[in-house]
Amino acid sequence: MSTLTSTSTPAGTEPVRRGPRLSGLNWLVWHQHRVAFWTLIALTVVAVGWMAYQRGQLTDQLNGVPGWPHPTDDDWAAKVDRSRLAWAATGLGFIPVVIGVFLGAPLVAGDLENGTAKLVASQSVSRVRWIATKLGTTALVVVPLSVVLSVMFGWWWGPVRSSPNILDWSTGPAFDNTGPVPVALTLFTLVGGVAIGMLLRRTLLSMVVTLGFAVAVQLVWSYFRLDLANVVTVTTSNGVGENAYPAVPDTAYSIDQSYLTANGDLIGWGSCNEATEKAANACLEQKQVIGWSVDYIPFSQMSSMQWFGASILLALTAAVTVFILFWGRRRLV
C-alpha cells in the first residue's frame, strides 16, 4: 500500500523561493543604484528596438539599388540615406562619457560625502569587499548593455560597411561603436570616474573632473587609433602618368602618397606641381621620379586593430581597478 507525501507548506513557514536572487551586499548595492541601473537598461532596450527598425529601413533602401548585393551603379552609396546611421553613431559615442560622469563618479564619492562609507567600515564587511561589490555589480550591468549596443550597431552598419562614403570604418563613429572598443572605452571611463570620486570625495566636483577625464580619453584615443595598424606600403616603377597609380582597395584608409625616385628616395607628390605639363614633366625627369609609393591601412585590419586597442584599454582598466582597491583598503575613510 503506497503512501502520499503532502506538498503543502506547513503553517508559519516561508515558501521556498526559486530562481536566482540578490542577497546581502549585492542586494544593497543594486538597491542603492537601482534607478541608474534600470534607466540604463530601459534606454538600451529602446535603442535596440530603434536600431532594429532602422536596419529594416536600410535593407529596404538597398533592395532598391540595381543589382544589390552586387550593385552595378558605382554611385550607389549616394542613394542611401546615411543621416540616421551617423546620428546614432554620434549618440553612441557619448555613452562612455555619460557612464563615467553619472555612474562612475558618484559610485563611491556619494558614499564618502554622505557618510555611508564610514557606516560600512564599521560593519563586518571589509572595505575592499564593499568596493569590489560596487564595481562588480556595476560592471555586470554596463558590460552586457555595451555589448548589445555594439552588436546591434554593427549589425545595422554591416550591409554598407564596405562604403567609406556612408560611414568610414577608420573614423570614430564606426571604429569606436563596434566590436570590443565601446565596451573597453566604457569600462575604462567608468573605473576612472570611480577613482576620481574616491580621491576628491565630493560628488559634484568628481562629476565635473570625470567629464574632463572622459573627454581627454576620447581625444587621446582618437589621436592614436590608427597607430594600432600595420601600415601597408605599395610601390610602382612605371612612371606617374595615367593609369600608373598603384592599385589600392577602395575600402582602405590612405595615409600618405609620395613620388619614388630611381635611388629609392621619396619626395612629396606636390614637389613637381608646376604651372604647365611640360614643366612638370621636366621636374619629374630632373628628380628621376620613376613611380609612386603609397602607404595605406586595409579594411581587413579593422578587427585586429579593435582587439589590440581594447586590450590596451582593458589593461589600463585593470590597473586603475587595482589602485581603487588598494586606496580603498588603506585610505578610504
Side-chain angles (χ1 to χ4, degrees):
M1 183 176 181
S2 63
T3 59
L4 297 177
T5 303
S6 173
T7 58
S8 61
T9 303
T13 63
E14 291 288 337
V16 178
R17 296 183 180 180
R18 302 293 182 181
R21 54 174 178 157
L22 296 176
S23 61
L25 196 55
N26 293 318
W27 177 88
L28 179 62
V29 172
W30 174 271
H31 186 76
Q32 185 181 13
H33 302 285
R34 66 189 184 281
V35 174
F37 292 158
W38 280 117
T39 300
L40 288 176
I41 294 172
L43 291 176
T44 300
V45 170
V46 172
V48 166
W50 184 77
M51 284 191 283
Y53 173 77
Q54 294 302 327
R55 160 72 186 226
Q57 296 290 99
L58 176 62
T59 301
D60 291 341
Q61 292 183 32
L62 294 176
N63 288 335
V65 175
W68 185 260
H70 304 289
T72 56
D73 185 0
D74 293 336
D75 197 32
W76 66 269
K79 302 175 182 178
V80 177
D81 183 13
R82 62 177 296 273
S83 59
R84 294 179 182 177
L85 195 64
W87 294 341
T90 301
L92 291 175
F94 284 106
I95 290 179
V97 178
V98 173
I99 294 293
V101 172
F102 293 99
L103 189 57
L107 195 68
V108 176
D111 293 337
L112 291 171
E113 189 172 23
N114 60 30
T116 304
K118 291 183 178 180
L119 177 62
V120 172
S122 65
Q123 305 301 313
S124 59
V125 177
S126 68
R127 288 174 287 185
V128 172
R129 182 186 170 193
W130 172 63
I131 295 174
T133 302
K134 272 182 165 285
L135 286 175
T137 302
T138 306
L140 286 175
V141 174
V142 169
V143 170
L145 299 184
S146 300
V147 170
V148 169
L149 291 175
S150 172
V151 170
M152 286 301 298
F153 185 78
W155 179 59
W156 178 12
W157 174 54
V160 295
R161 62 188 304 167
S162 62
S163 174
N165 296 325
I166 295 179
L167 199 62
D168 190 350
W169 70 267
S170 63
T171 60
F175 192 93
D176 297 349
N177 290 318
T178 57
V181 174
V183 181
L185 277 173
T186 302
L187 275 178
F188 182 53
T189 309
L190 172 68
V191 299
V194 174
I196 291 171
M198 290 182 63
L199 294 174
L200 299 182
R201 309 171 73 91
R202 294 292 183 271
T203 302
L204 184 58
L205 177 60
S206 299
M207 293 174 70
V208 173
V209 175
T210 300
L211 175 61
F213 165 76
V215 172
V217 168
Q218 295 283 345
L219 291 176
V220 172
W221 172 257
S222 65
Y223 183 79
F224 289 104
R225 184 190 299 116
L226 296 179
D227 292 338
L228 302 169
N230 294 316
V231 178
V232 176
T233 301
V234 59
T235 59
T236 60
S237 57
N238 54 348
V240 294
E242 187 177 357
N243 298 325
Y245 195 80
V248 177
D250 294 336
T251 56
Y253 174 78
S254 180
I255 298 177
D256 193 17
Q257 56 184 6
S258 306
Y259 287 139
L260 178 66
T261 64
N263 57 6
D265 294 334
L266 300 179
I267 61 175
W269 63 272
S271 302
C272 292
N273 189 17
E274 306 295 341
T276 63
E277 182 179 354
K278 182 178 180 179
N281 291 334
C283 174
L284 293 172
E285 184 176 352
Q286 179 186 5
K287 296 180 182 295
Q288 297 183 326
V289 173
I290 61 171
W292 290 98
S293 176
V294 179
D295 296 334
Y296 70 93
I297 303 174
F299 173 59
S300 59
Q301 290 192 22
M302 179 182 179
S303 180
S304 60
M305 289 169 62
Q306 287 179 316
W307 282 104
F308 182 32
S311 66
I312 295 174
L313 290 170
L314 291 175
L316 293 173
T317 300
V320 176
T321 302
V322 170
F323 167 78
I324 290 172
L325 296 176
F326 177 82
W327 188 272
R329 181 182 178 185
R330 297 290 184 180
R331 305 182 60 179
L332 182 63
V333 293

